[in-house]
């Protein structure tokens, strides 16, 4: 192309061109350095009280094969988890959290109901579960597996996972082998769901490292992802069908569950409202997947929603409803690091039943898009003002705060897959941080979810640990949601919500009869004021977490009109607003047909 | 990324003849477009057609606007803004939902040709200038292409093949090969000199998609390379040397070099290319040169 002739000196046209050019350069700075909005005018106050409450706990990573030692933070970057469940049925939420170090105990913090927790894991057989070379914990999912009226737990992890059933004496016994679940896999996520609507909860397991990989005794060092966007050398996923609470049958192949991606997050909900629970899967180094349940016979991956158009680093799947329109929203966290990587989180509103679309709400300057290197997240109306807020924890590896691993990782990050997959070719961490010391985000909703504003510092959630799992849960049954965070190589944090309790909320505790007893998979539509809010009961959601199984709705200053419950069995139950007094929890039993 | 040189047509027959009859600028447009299509179809590498439209629109609008303003006529060719637009849409990776970097990058790319000039040539490769500038000024919202096309060999093979065709047809393959050889040599040296460094780790960046675009389409930009085969080889090696120096500095964690971390090669070209061109311009115009 012929190059333009020089601008004559002194020519006004040249001055205009130069002025525009200079203005463009200046504009590039100002456009990219606009201040981020933070909420300051909130009534919310949280205070971290884990130690005072008796729930002191620190996650410790495990050792791995010495050949992986130079990149140990990359290999053992996860494993801190949190699950909320009422294991003893006393009406107070208890907490189970995991660690990984060989011989280090997991903790089951029983909620005494008097503002204290006590660790009963050792007494009940749920503490000593981490054995390097055999299996270490990565998370847990709770439900009544055998329908005997108490809570059981599946503790998943790298190596062998464990199914622990609660006996009549309250102790937990290992039923893994008897149940047919004694498999070697590197499981990063799990969820209970009743995919065939038989009333027995089935088990989805998400694989991360390939199941042939033994991280403590490698056959070779080619154990990492072969691709930053489209990796297909991860662990396979499994679906085990619960056969009358006696054993589990691997139906993965028959029903279309498998794959070879690096799965980190899963959530089960009925996206297309056909009465059959579907699966939403977040994959690291890969695309998000929506697997629609075809009448309990087969799961089919949806390909026409654009989910495969953009691959990122999916970490967690969380469900909520930020729009107040009664539309299920799914939130998937990803990585954002200024100057290096801008994946952005996805907050998608499902319009699947009506228009077969998912609408991404977190575009441009939406507060939910950039939460750093984000991991776990959970929705909840933290201020009971009638809309759902969102908490997101973040940070990968906090070591030397003045030294970053990003440049070193970038050397290998864009390289061809043969090099990328080989741990030997990765630069050593050497004490450097990777997106470390990031602050948790508390995103307050401005009613319709179109803008969410970070208020973390204003509300007192200002730690800079490497957060992994996060849940909102009403630990003190006072109608306000507290926040629990499990940190990688860091302490368990319990942020107590100190907002003054008021009768501006509604709590629902669902008990299934024809459906599974935990009502996992139930959809609850709450109509109040001008708003509608949908909730899904889950058992395994977020990143390595299980959130409060009860439905909590902030009502603000509105009037409750009605509640519509779609039970997993398909039965629809409608409750009039007048029948539900705000400011308390209501036990709702599934009607017997 | 570049504007190919005008070439002399020869009457020949057969596929080879067709290859030789093709004007290099048309070949580069075709192949640039092919990479764009494959990247988007196979990998979703664009991240949305709105990015392409924004970059292309800005480049062409700027070319038209400045041509009218400065020259008083419409541009005679739209090849350069087209290539700049496509290249920007592939190489810039801003935060999701943000489009202004493509518009501003397009404007700065094309405007740099009119404003940053020495004698009768512009100094910077237009795309290199705007990306380097934006990587420095707009760090909070953008970075450059890394792994967004995946890390499989497929993409590289496509780019190697079409890239080699383009630069060979333009008679500039020696620049690419010189840079690659020099990069590999300096990677080997760095792996020897730097503690705990491994050769394959240091060589790894060269195998990524961004580097394929860089070595085939950016450092071979005819209007901004120096004259003469020997000089071109020297400059390619010098770019690799400066890049290696930047990388050593980054490995030594020299803090003031940190802003160059996302794109050592891009910044090396942005530093060496214009200086070399400026000197080259004086060599050519000097009496008895």
């Amino acid at each position: 192309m012929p190059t333009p002739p020089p601008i004559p000196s002194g020519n006004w046209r040249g001055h205009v061109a130069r002025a525009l050019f200079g203005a463009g350069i200046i504009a590039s700075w100002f456009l990219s350095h606009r201040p981020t909005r933070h909420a300051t005018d909130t009534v919310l106050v949280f205070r971290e009280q884990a130690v005072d409450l008796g729930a002191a706990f620190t996650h410790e990573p495990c050792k791995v094969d010495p050949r992986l030692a130079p990149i140990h933070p990359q290999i053992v970057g996860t494993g801190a988890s949190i699950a909320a469940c009422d294991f003893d049925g006393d009406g107070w939420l208890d907490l189970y959290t995991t660690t990984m170090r060989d011989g280090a105990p997991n903790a089951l913090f029983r909620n005494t109901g008097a503002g204290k927790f006590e660790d009963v894991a050792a007494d009940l057989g749920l503490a000593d579960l981490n054995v390097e070379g055999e299996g270490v914990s990565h998370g847990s999912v709770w439900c009544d597996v055998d329908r005997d009226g108490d809570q059981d737990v599946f503790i998943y992890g790298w190596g062998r996972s464990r199914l622990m059933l609660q006996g009549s004496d309250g102790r937990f016994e290992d039923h893994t082998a008897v149940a047919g679940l004694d498999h070697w896999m590197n499981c990063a996520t799990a969820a209970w769901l009743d995919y065939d609507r038989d009333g027995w909860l089935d088990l989805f397991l998400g694989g991360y490292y390939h199941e042939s990989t033994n991280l403590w005794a490698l056959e070779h060092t080619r154990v990492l992802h072969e691709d930053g966007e489209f990796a297909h050398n991860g662990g396979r996923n499994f679906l085990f069908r619960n056969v009358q609470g006696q054993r589990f049958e691997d139906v993965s192949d028959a029903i279309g569950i498998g794959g070879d991606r690096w799965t980190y997050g899963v959530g089960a909900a009925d996206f297309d409202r056909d009465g059959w629970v579907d699966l939403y899967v977040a994959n690291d180094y890969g695309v998000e997947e929506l697997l629609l349940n075809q009448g309990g016979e087969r799961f089919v991956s949806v390909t026409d929603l654009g989910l495969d158009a953009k691959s990122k680093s999916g970490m967690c799947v969380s469900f909520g409803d930020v729009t107040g329109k009664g539309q299920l929203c799914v939130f998937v966290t990803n990585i954002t690091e200024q100057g290096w990587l801008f994946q952005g989180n996805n907050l998608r509103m499902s319009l699947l039943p009506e228009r077969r679309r998912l609408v991404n709400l977190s575009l441009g300057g939406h507060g939910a898009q950039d939460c750093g290197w984000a991991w776990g997240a959970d929705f909840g109306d933290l201020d009971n003002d009638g809309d759902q807020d969102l908490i997101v924890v973040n940070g990968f590896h906090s070591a030397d705060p003045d030294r970053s691993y990003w440049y070193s990782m970038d050397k290998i990050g864009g390289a061809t897959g043969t090099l990328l997959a080989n741990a030997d070719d990765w630069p050593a961490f050497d004490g450097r941080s990777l997106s470390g010391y990031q602050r948790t985000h508390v995103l307050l909703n401005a009613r319709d979810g179109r803008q969410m504003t970070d208020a973390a510092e204003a509300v007192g959630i200002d730690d800079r640990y490497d957060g992994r799992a996060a849940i909102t849960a009403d630990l003190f049954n006072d109608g306000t949601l507290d926040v629990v965070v499990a940190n990688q190589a860091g302490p368990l944090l319990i942020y107590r919500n100190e907002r003054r309790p008021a009768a501006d909320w509604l709590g629902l505790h669902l008990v299934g009869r024809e459906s599974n007893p935990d009502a996992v998979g139930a959809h609850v539509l709450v109509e109040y004021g001008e708003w509608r809010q949908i909730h899904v009961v889950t058992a395994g959601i977020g990143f390595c977490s299980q959130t409060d199984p009860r439905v909590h709705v902030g009502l603000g200053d509105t009037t409750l009109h009605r509640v519509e419950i779609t039970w997993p069995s398909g039965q629809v139950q409608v409750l009039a607003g007048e029948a539900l007094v705000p400011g308390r929890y209501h036990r709702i039993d599934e009607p017997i047909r | 990324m570049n504007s190919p040189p005008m070439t002399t047509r020869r009457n020949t027959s057969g596929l080879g003849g067709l290859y030789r009859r093709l004007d290099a600028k048309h070949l580069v447009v075709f192949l640039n477009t092919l990479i764009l299509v494959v990247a988007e179809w196979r990998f979703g590498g664009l991240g949305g057609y709105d990015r392409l439209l924004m970059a292309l629109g800005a480049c062409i609008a700027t070319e038209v606007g400045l041509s009218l303003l400065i020259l008083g006529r419409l541009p005679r060719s739209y090849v350069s803004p087209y290539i700049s637009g496509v290249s920007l849409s592939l190489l810039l990776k801003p935060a999701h939902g943000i489009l202004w970097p493509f518009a501003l990058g397009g404007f700065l790319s094309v405007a740099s040709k009119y404003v940053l000039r020495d004698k009768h040539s512009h100094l910077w490769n237009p795309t290199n200038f705007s990306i380097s500038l934006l990587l420095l000024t707009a760090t909070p919202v953008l970075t450059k292409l890394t792994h967004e096309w995946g890390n499989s060999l497929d993409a590289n093979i496509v780019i190697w093949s079409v890239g080699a065709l383009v630069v060979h047809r333009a008679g500039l393959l020696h620049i690419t090969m010189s840079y690659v050889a020099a990069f590999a040599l300096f990677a080997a040296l760095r792996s020897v000199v730097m503690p705990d460094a491994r050769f394959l780790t240091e060589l790894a960046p060269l195998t990524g998609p961004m580097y394929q675009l860089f070595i085939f389409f950016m450092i071979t930009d005819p209007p901004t390379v120096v004259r003469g085969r020997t000089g071109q080889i020297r400059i390619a090696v010098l770019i690799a040397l400066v890049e290696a120096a930047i990388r050593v500095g980054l490995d030594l964690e020299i803090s003031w070099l940190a802003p160059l971390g996302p794109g050592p090669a891009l910044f090396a070209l942005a530093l060496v290319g214009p200086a070399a061109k400026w000197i080259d311009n004086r060599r050519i115009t000097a009496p008895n040169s």
Side-chain angles (χ1 to χ4, degrees):
Chain A
M1 191 215 77
T3 187
I7 302 172
S9 59
N11 185 326
W12 69 268
R13 297 165 194 262
H15 291 318
V16 170
R18 291 187 191 99
L20 289 172
F21 184 69
I25 293 174
I26 295 168
S28 71
W29 174 272
F30 282 102
L31 285 170
S32 55
H33 286 77
R34 284 180 286 194
T36 306
R37 284 192 300 170
H38 294 277
T40 53
D41 56 342
T42 172
V43 297
L44 274 176
V45 177
F46 286 88
R47 198 155 61 90
E48 203 287 306
Q49 294 185 314
V51 174
D52 294 341
L53 292 168
F57 183 86
T58 299
H59 172 267
E60 298 173 275
C62 61
K63 291 177 183 167
V64 289
D65 188 294
R67 284 175 286 179
L68 299 174
I71 55 168
H72 183 266
Q74 170 72 27
I75 300 295
V76 194
T78 54
S81 75
I82 188 69
C85 64
D86 180 11
F87 84 91
D88 53 2
D90 65 354
W92 297 90
L93 277 184
D94 312 299
L95 298 171
Y96 187 70
T97 185
T98 60
T99 187
M100 300 181 102
R101 183 176 59 78
D102 189 36
N106 297 340
L108 175 59
F109 290 110
R110 191 178 78 85
N111 188 339
T112 66
K116 287 288 181 184
F117 288 86
E118 57 183 13
D119 184 3
V120 296
D123 294 339
L124 300 183
L126 291 179
D128 190 16
L129 299 175
N130 298 306
V131 182
E132 288 172 10
E134 288 187 22
V136 296
S137 307
H138 204 272
S140 67
V141 280
W142 295 70
C143 73
D144 185 358
V145 174
D146 48 8
R147 297 196 65 146
D148 65 350
D150 56 35
Q151 291 287 294
D152 311 299
V153 59
F154 184 79
I155 301 160
Y156 54 90
W158 296 346
R160 299 189 188 286
S161 300
R162 314 257 191 141
L163 176 66
M164 309 294 287
L165 299 187
Q166 190 176 174
S168 55
D169 60 354
R171 286 185 53 82
F172 290 80
E173 298 288 339
D174 190 341
H175 284 245
T176 316
V178 175
L181 290 171
D182 190 17
H183 294 265
W184 183 280
M185 71 178 290
N186 296 297
C187 182
T189 187
W192 295 105
L193 70 156
D194 185 8
Y195 82 92
D196 53 2
R197 291 184 12 184
D198 65 352
W200 299 88
L201 282 170
D202 313 298
L203 182 61
F204 174 91
L205 301 180
Y208 193 70
Y209 293 107
H210 194 273
E211 52 274 15
S212 66
T213 299
N214 180 338
L215 290 166
W216 299 279
L218 295 180
E219 292 179 4
H220 53 77
T221 54
R222 297 183 302 280
V223 298
L224 292 166
H225 50 288
E226 64 187 2
D227 197 301
E229 295 267 311
F230 310 99
H232 282 282
N233 64 337
R236 58 164 303 195
N237 299 334
F238 291 90
L239 183 62
F240 289 96
R241 178 171 170 267
N242 184 342
V243 183
Q244 303 283 310
Q246 299 300 308
R247 62 185 177 86
F248 284 80
E249 175 188 6
D250 183 359
V251 294
S252 311
D253 290 335
I255 207 159
I257 298 291
D260 46 14
R261 292 195 165 105
W262 297 67
T263 300
Y264 252 159
V266 65
D270 184 6
F271 276 82
D272 54 3
R273 306 310 305 269
D274 66 349
W276 298 89
V277 66
D278 311 304
L279 285 166
Y280 201 98
V281 178
N283 298 300
D284 201 2
Y285 322 117
V287 297
E288 297 166 26
E289 297 173 281
L290 175 57
L291 304 170
L292 291 183
N293 186 343
Q294 310 290 299
E297 300 291 328
R298 191 155 185 85
F299 283 88
V300 175
S301 181
V302 179
T303 58
D304 61 348
L305 295 176
L307 292 176
D308 53 352
K310 185 59 191 165
S311 176
K312 301 183 182 179
S313 304
M315 305 293 185
C316 90
V317 173
S318 286
F319 295 146
D321 177 3
V322 296
T323 65
K325 296 176 181 174
Q327 306 284 7
L328 182 64
C329 295
V330 56
F331 184 62
V332 174
T333 50
N334 288 285
I335 302 170
T336 296
E337 177 68 27
Q338 288 190 4
W340 293 105
L341 190 58
F342 294 92
Q343 293 183 323
N345 304 316
N346 289 326
L347 174 59
R348 303 181 197 271
M349 178 175 65
S350 171
L351 298 176
L352 213 62
E354 303 89 356
R355 288 190 278 168
R356 200 171 174 81
R357 283 181 62 201
L358 293 172
V359 179
N360 197 342
L361 301 174
S362 57
L363 297 175
H366 194 285
Q369 188 187 51
D370 176 5
C371 296
W373 191 313
W375 292 94
D378 198 14
F379 291 91
D381 190 349
L382 299 173
D383 47 9
N384 286 355
D385 66 348
D387 54 36
Q388 286 199 331
D389 312 301
L390 178 62
I391 179 161
V392 187
V393 295
N394 51 17
F396 185 79
H397 178 60
S398 298
D400 187 334
D402 299 321
R403 301 173 60 218
S404 171
Y405 184 69
W406 265 102
Y407 165 69
S408 291
M409 191 168 71
D410 191 59
K411 286 185 192 175
I412 198 79
T416 194
T418 311
L419 299 174
L420 184 64
N422 192 345
D424 274 348
D425 293 326
W426 280 58
F429 264 71
D430 190 28
R432 288 175 286 184
S433 293
L434 182 63
S435 296
Y437 304 100
Q438 298 190 339
R439 186 180 40 69
T440 297
H441 285 229
V442 178
L443 299 167
L444 297 184
N445 192 347
R447 206 56 166 170
D448 63 358
R450 298 198 179 280
Q451 187 56 249
M452 301 184 84
T453 310
D454 183 27
E457 284 186 301
V459 305
I461 296 182
D462 52 2
D463 71 89
R464 291 180 183 268
Y465 294 107
D466 297 325
R468 290 297 179 271
I471 57 170
T472 61
D474 184 1
L475 298 177
F476 307 99
N477 289 348
D478 59 4
T480 60
L481 292 175
D482 311 292
V483 172
V484 187
V485 180
N487 294 296
Q488 185 73 10
L492 179 76
L493 302 176
I494 298 177
Y495 287 100
R496 183 168 186 167
N497 190 335
E498 300 203 325
R499 181 178 181 271
R500 183 179 56 81
D504 52 2
W505 60 280
L506 178 73
L508 302 173
H509 174 206
L510 272 52
V511 178
R513 293 177 183 271
E514 182 182 347
S515 306
N516 65 84
D518 300 280
V520 172
H523 285 234
V524 181
L525 180 67
V526 182
E527 298 180 5
Y528 55 100
E530 301 172 355
W531 308 96
R532 309 169 85 220
Q533 198 174 97
I534 189 99
H535 288 252
V536 182
V537 179
T538 57
I541 195 76
F543 182 83
C544 296
S545 60
Q546 179 165 342
T547 193
D548 192 333
R550 300 167 298 185
V551 173
H552 172 276
V553 185
L555 298 173
D557 53 3
T558 64
T559 302
L560 178 67
H561 301 312
R562 73 192 280 270
V563 174
E564 179 184 297
I565 302 170
T566 305
W567 292 88
S569 63
Q571 188 174 183
V572 178
Q573 180 181 11
V574 177
L575 303 167
E578 302 79 42
L580 298 167
V581 180
R584 54 167 290 200
Y585 284 98
H586 299 263
R587 173 177 166 137
I588 310 293
D589 292 290
E590 181 181 13
I592 298 174
R593 288 192 281 198
Chain B
M1 274 148 271
N2 63 2
S3 303
M6 303 301 288
T7 54
T8 308
R9 297 185 178 210
R10 286 181 285 181
N11 287 326
T12 50
S13 57
L15 276 179
L18 176 64
Y19 172 64
R20 282 187 289 275
R21 282 201 307 277
L22 278 173
D23 193 321
K25 72 180 179 185
H26 295 137
L27 191 62
V28 79
V29 167
F30 169 72
L31 296 177
N32 204 272
T33 306
L34 179 66
I35 289 173
L36 171 79
V37 170
V38 171
E40 179 60 13
W41 168 68
R42 173 72 174 79
F43 306 106
L46 263 180
Y49 286 105
D50 49 353
R51 295 179 169 190
L52 175 65
L53 291 175
M54 186 64 76
L56 270 180
C59 286
I60 291 171
T62 305
E63 188 77 52
V64 169
L66 290 182
S67 183
L68 286 172
L69 179 69
I70 305 294
L71 309 176
R73 58 167 170 76
L74 287 170
R76 294 198 174 122
S77 169
Y78 292 92
V79 169
S80 177
Y82 177 82
I83 294 173
S84 291
V86 170
S87 303
L88 282 170
S89 66
L90 289 171
L91 286 167
L92 281 182
K93 296 298 167 196
H96 200 39
I98 294 180
L99 287 174
W100 67 259
F102 296 99
L104 193 52
F107 167 75
L108 291 172
S109 289
V110 175
S112 73
K113 292 190 306 181
Y114 288 84
V115 175
L116 301 176
R117 304 181 58 79
D118 176 60
K119 300 187 182 297
H120 289 279
S121 66
H122 54 277
L123 291 173
W124 270 270
N125 167 275
T127 312
N128 176 248
F129 173 81
S130 64
I131 291 180
S132 300
L133 179 78
L134 290 174
L135 282 178
L136 290 174
T137 60
T139 306
V141 297
L142 69 81
T143 187
K144 90 303 178 188
L145 169 72
T146 50
H147 61 279
E148 287 80 1
W149 298 10
N151 301 72
S152 71
L153 271 178
D154 303 1
N156 285 351
I157 288 171
V158 171
I159 303 173
W160 282 335
S161 306
V162 300
L165 272 175
V166 169
V167 293
H168 177 260
R169 181 68 188 83
L172 297 168
L173 190 58
H174 56 281
I175 296 179
T176 297
M177 300 312 292
S178 302
Y179 173 83
V180 170
F183 184 99
L185 175 67
F186 292 130
L189 286 175
R190 281 187 283 124
S191 68
V192 172
V193 173
M194 301 302 294
D196 301 325
R198 290 170 55 90
F199 174 62
L200 287 178
T201 308
E202 301 308 315
L203 189 68
L206 195 60
T207 65
M210 194 286 283
Y211 266 77
Q212 314 317 311
L213 294 172
F214 178 76
I215 63 178
F216 286 118
F217 297 103
M218 200 177 276
I219 63 171
T220 57
D221 178 17
T224 54
V225 297
V226 299
R227 314 292 171 98
R229 186 183 174 90
T230 305
Q232 290 168 350
I233 290 173
R234 283 179 182 154
I235 297 306
V237 173
L238 185 59
I239 291 168
L241 176 64
V242 170
E243 180 189 356
I246 294 172
R247 288 189 175 278
V248 169
L250 291 165
D251 280 329
L252 293 173
E253 299 174 22
I254 297 172
S255 58
W256 58 268
L257 281 175
L260 307 185
L266 297 168
F267 289 116
L269 174 60
L271 290 169
V272 174
K277 186 69 180 175
W278 188 84
I279 294 169
D280 193 48
N281 284 345
R282 269 133 199 87
R283 277 181 50 235
I284 291 164
T285 55
N288 306 319
S289 61

